[in-house]
Short mmCIF file of all heavy atoms in Angstrom, two decimals:
data_model
loop_
_atom_site.label_atom_id
_atom_site.label_comp_id
_atom_site.label_asym_id
_atom_site.label_seq_id
_atom_site.Cartn_x
_atom_site.Cartn_y
_atom_site.Cartn_z
N ALA B 33 25.03 -20.64 7.80
CA ALA B 33 24.35 -21.06 9.08
C ALA B 33 23.14 -20.17 9.35
O ALA B 33 22.04 -20.61 9.76
CB ALA B 33 25.30 -21.07 10.23
N ALA B 34 23.31 -18.84 9.07
CA ALA B 34 22.28 -17.87 9.33
C ALA B 34 21.14 -18.12 8.34
O ALA B 34 19.97 -18.04 8.70
CB ALA B 34 22.77 -16.45 9.25
N LYS B 35 21.47 -18.39 7.12
CA LYS B 35 20.47 -18.65 6.06
C LYS B 35 19.63 -19.92 6.44
O LYS B 35 18.42 -19.92 6.28
CB LYS B 35 21.10 -18.85 4.72
CG LYS B 35 21.75 -17.58 4.12
CD LYS B 35 22.20 -17.86 2.72
CE LYS B 35 23.00 -16.74 2.10
NZ LYS B 35 23.43 -17.00 0.74
N ARG B 36 20.31 -20.91 6.92
CA ARG B 36 19.63 -22.15 7.36
C ARG B 36 18.64 -21.80 8.48
O ARG B 36 17.52 -22.32 8.51
CB ARG B 36 20.64 -23.19 7.79
CG ARG B 36 21.45 -23.84 6.66
CD ARG B 36 22.60 -24.65 7.16
NE ARG B 36 22.16 -25.78 7.97
CZ ARG B 36 22.40 -27.06 7.67
NH1 ARG B 36 23.13 -27.34 6.59
NH2 ARG B 36 21.99 -28.02 8.42
N GLU B 37 19.15 -21.02 9.39
CA GLU B 37 18.31 -20.62 10.53
C GLU B 37 17.08 -19.87 10.02
O GLU B 37 15.94 -20.07 10.53
CB GLU B 37 19.13 -19.72 11.47
CG GLU B 37 18.59 -19.53 12.88
CD GLU B 37 19.44 -18.69 13.75
OE1 GLU B 37 20.70 -18.84 13.62
OE2 GLU B 37 18.92 -17.97 14.54
N TRP B 38 17.28 -19.01 9.07
CA TRP B 38 16.20 -18.22 8.43
C TRP B 38 15.13 -19.18 7.82
O TRP B 38 13.97 -19.03 8.06
CB TRP B 38 16.74 -17.24 7.44
CG TRP B 38 15.74 -16.35 6.70
CD1 TRP B 38 14.38 -16.46 6.69
CD2 TRP B 38 16.05 -15.17 5.97
NE1 TRP B 38 13.83 -15.41 5.98
CE2 TRP B 38 14.84 -14.62 5.49
CE3 TRP B 38 17.24 -14.50 5.62
CZ2 TRP B 38 14.76 -13.49 4.69
CZ3 TRP B 38 17.20 -13.39 4.81
CH2 TRP B 38 15.95 -12.88 4.33
N ILE B 39 15.65 -20.10 6.96
CA ILE B 39 14.77 -21.04 6.28
C ILE B 39 13.95 -21.91 7.36
O ILE B 39 12.77 -22.02 7.26
CB ILE B 39 15.56 -21.96 5.34
CG1 ILE B 39 16.13 -21.15 4.15
CG2 ILE B 39 14.70 -23.18 4.86
CD1 ILE B 39 17.23 -21.89 3.38
N GLN B 40 14.70 -22.36 8.32
CA GLN B 40 14.08 -23.16 9.36
C GLN B 40 12.96 -22.38 10.11
O GLN B 40 11.87 -22.86 10.36
CB GLN B 40 15.15 -23.61 10.37
CG GLN B 40 14.64 -24.39 11.53
CD GLN B 40 14.38 -25.88 11.16
OE1 GLN B 40 15.27 -26.58 10.81
NE2 GLN B 40 13.11 -26.25 11.27
N ALA B 41 13.29 -21.12 10.44
CA ALA B 41 12.35 -20.34 11.18
C ALA B 41 11.14 -19.90 10.36
O ALA B 41 9.99 -19.87 10.78
CB ALA B 41 13.03 -19.10 11.76
N ALA B 42 11.34 -19.64 9.06
CA ALA B 42 10.31 -19.33 8.13
C ALA B 42 9.36 -20.52 8.01
O ALA B 42 8.16 -20.36 7.99
CB ALA B 42 10.86 -18.89 6.75
N TYR B 43 9.99 -21.65 7.92
CA TYR B 43 9.20 -22.90 7.86
C TYR B 43 8.39 -23.09 9.15
O TYR B 43 7.17 -23.39 9.10
CB TYR B 43 10.13 -24.10 7.63
CG TYR B 43 9.46 -25.43 7.51
CD1 TYR B 43 8.84 -25.81 6.32
CD2 TYR B 43 9.40 -26.26 8.63
CE1 TYR B 43 8.23 -27.06 6.26
CE2 TYR B 43 8.75 -27.49 8.52
CZ TYR B 43 8.15 -27.89 7.35
OH TYR B 43 7.56 -29.11 7.25
N ALA B 44 9.02 -22.84 10.26
CA ALA B 44 8.28 -22.98 11.55
C ALA B 44 7.19 -21.97 11.65
O ALA B 44 6.19 -22.21 12.31
CB ALA B 44 9.33 -22.80 12.69
N ALA B 45 7.33 -20.82 10.95
CA ALA B 45 6.30 -19.79 11.01
C ALA B 45 5.18 -20.13 10.00
O ALA B 45 4.21 -19.35 9.90
CB ALA B 45 6.86 -18.41 10.72
N GLY B 46 5.38 -21.18 9.26
CA GLY B 46 4.26 -21.65 8.36
C GLY B 46 4.54 -21.41 6.88
O GLY B 46 3.69 -21.74 6.07
N GLN B 47 5.63 -20.82 6.53
CA GLN B 47 5.90 -20.61 5.11
C GLN B 47 6.26 -21.98 4.41
O GLN B 47 7.03 -22.76 4.99
CB GLN B 47 7.09 -19.58 4.93
CG GLN B 47 6.72 -18.20 5.44
CD GLN B 47 7.61 -17.12 4.89
OE1 GLN B 47 8.53 -16.65 5.53
NE2 GLN B 47 7.29 -16.64 3.69
N ARG B 48 5.66 -22.16 3.26
CA ARG B 48 5.81 -23.45 2.57
C ARG B 48 6.34 -23.31 1.13
O ARG B 48 6.48 -24.28 0.45
CB ARG B 48 4.44 -24.21 2.53
CG ARG B 48 4.04 -24.77 3.91
CD ARG B 48 5.01 -25.81 4.41
NE ARG B 48 4.65 -26.33 5.73
CZ ARG B 48 5.14 -25.76 6.87
NH1 ARG B 48 5.97 -24.72 6.83
NH2 ARG B 48 4.78 -26.26 8.04
N GLU B 49 6.75 -22.09 0.75
CA GLU B 49 7.45 -21.89 -0.49
C GLU B 49 8.58 -20.90 -0.26
O GLU B 49 8.30 -19.77 0.17
CB GLU B 49 6.48 -21.39 -1.58
CG GLU B 49 5.34 -22.38 -1.87
CD GLU B 49 4.63 -22.14 -3.19
OE1 GLU B 49 5.14 -21.39 -4.03
OE2 GLU B 49 3.57 -22.78 -3.42
N ILE B 50 9.78 -21.31 -0.57
CA ILE B 50 10.94 -20.42 -0.26
C ILE B 50 11.90 -20.50 -1.46
O ILE B 50 12.25 -21.64 -1.92
CB ILE B 50 11.67 -20.81 1.03
CG1 ILE B 50 10.72 -20.79 2.20
CG2 ILE B 50 12.85 -19.86 1.25
CD1 ILE B 50 11.37 -21.13 3.56
N GLU B 51 12.24 -19.34 -2.01
CA GLU B 51 13.33 -19.33 -3.00
C GLU B 51 14.66 -19.14 -2.20
O GLU B 51 14.85 -18.12 -1.65
CB GLU B 51 13.10 -18.09 -3.90
CG GLU B 51 13.95 -18.11 -5.18
CD GLU B 51 13.62 -16.94 -6.10
OE1 GLU B 51 13.82 -15.77 -5.74
OE2 GLU B 51 12.99 -17.23 -7.18
N VAL B 52 15.43 -20.17 -2.21
CA VAL B 52 16.60 -20.20 -1.32
C VAL B 52 17.84 -19.57 -1.93
O VAL B 52 18.80 -19.33 -1.17
CB VAL B 52 16.88 -21.65 -0.79
CG1 VAL B 52 15.68 -22.18 -0.04
CG2 VAL B 52 17.29 -22.57 -1.95
N GLY B 53 17.92 -19.42 -3.20
CA GLY B 53 19.05 -18.85 -3.82
C GLY B 53 19.04 -18.83 -5.31
O GLY B 53 17.96 -18.98 -5.91
N SER B 54 20.21 -18.78 -5.95
CA SER B 54 20.31 -18.62 -7.39
C SER B 54 21.48 -19.38 -7.85
O SER B 54 22.57 -19.26 -7.26
CB SER B 54 20.41 -17.12 -7.69
OG SER B 54 20.43 -16.87 -9.04
N PHE B 55 21.36 -20.17 -8.91
CA PHE B 55 22.49 -20.86 -9.50
C PHE B 55 23.18 -20.02 -10.54
O PHE B 55 22.97 -20.19 -11.69
CB PHE B 55 22.05 -22.24 -10.03
CG PHE B 55 21.88 -23.32 -8.96
CD1 PHE B 55 20.63 -23.78 -8.61
CD2 PHE B 55 23.01 -23.76 -8.30
CE1 PHE B 55 20.46 -24.71 -7.67
CE2 PHE B 55 22.82 -24.74 -7.28
CZ PHE B 55 21.56 -25.21 -6.98
N VAL B 56 23.92 -19.07 -10.01
CA VAL B 56 24.72 -18.16 -10.84
C VAL B 56 26.19 -18.35 -10.41
O VAL B 56 26.45 -18.84 -9.31
CB VAL B 56 24.35 -16.70 -10.69
CG1 VAL B 56 23.03 -16.39 -11.33
CG2 VAL B 56 24.34 -16.27 -9.21
N PRO B 57 27.12 -17.98 -11.29
CA PRO B 57 28.51 -18.14 -10.85
C PRO B 57 28.83 -17.39 -9.53
O PRO B 57 28.41 -16.26 -9.43
CB PRO B 57 29.34 -17.51 -12.01
CG PRO B 57 28.43 -17.60 -13.24
CD PRO B 57 27.03 -17.48 -12.66
N ALA B 58 29.45 -18.06 -8.66
CA ALA B 58 29.79 -17.47 -7.32
C ALA B 58 30.54 -16.15 -7.46
O ALA B 58 30.40 -15.26 -6.69
CB ALA B 58 30.59 -18.43 -6.47
N LYS B 59 31.33 -16.05 -8.57
CA LYS B 59 32.08 -14.83 -8.79
C LYS B 59 31.16 -13.62 -8.99
O LYS B 59 31.45 -12.50 -8.59
CB LYS B 59 32.93 -15.02 -10.08
CG LYS B 59 34.13 -14.13 -10.19
CD LYS B 59 35.02 -14.57 -11.37
CE LYS B 59 34.24 -14.73 -12.70
NZ LYS B 59 35.05 -15.20 -13.80
N ARG B 60 30.02 -13.90 -9.62
CA ARG B 60 29.05 -12.84 -9.89
C ARG B 60 28.23 -12.45 -8.71
O ARG B 60 27.98 -11.26 -8.41
CB ARG B 60 28.12 -13.25 -11.05
CG ARG B 60 27.76 -12.07 -11.93
CD ARG B 60 26.76 -12.42 -13.07
NE ARG B 60 25.58 -11.61 -13.01
CZ ARG B 60 24.34 -11.96 -13.38
NH1 ARG B 60 24.18 -13.21 -13.88
NH2 ARG B 60 23.34 -11.12 -13.28
#
Side-chain angles (χ1 to χ4, degrees):
Chain B
K35 292 185 187 181
R36 288 168 63 120
E37 197 178 324
W38 183 344
I39 292 166
Q40 177 79 62
Y43 180 81
Q47 294 198 263
R48 287 296 177 270
E49 301 199 10
I50 304 181
E51 192 175 69
V52 300
S54 184
F55 281 110
V56 289
K59 200 170 55 182
R60 214 183 125 211

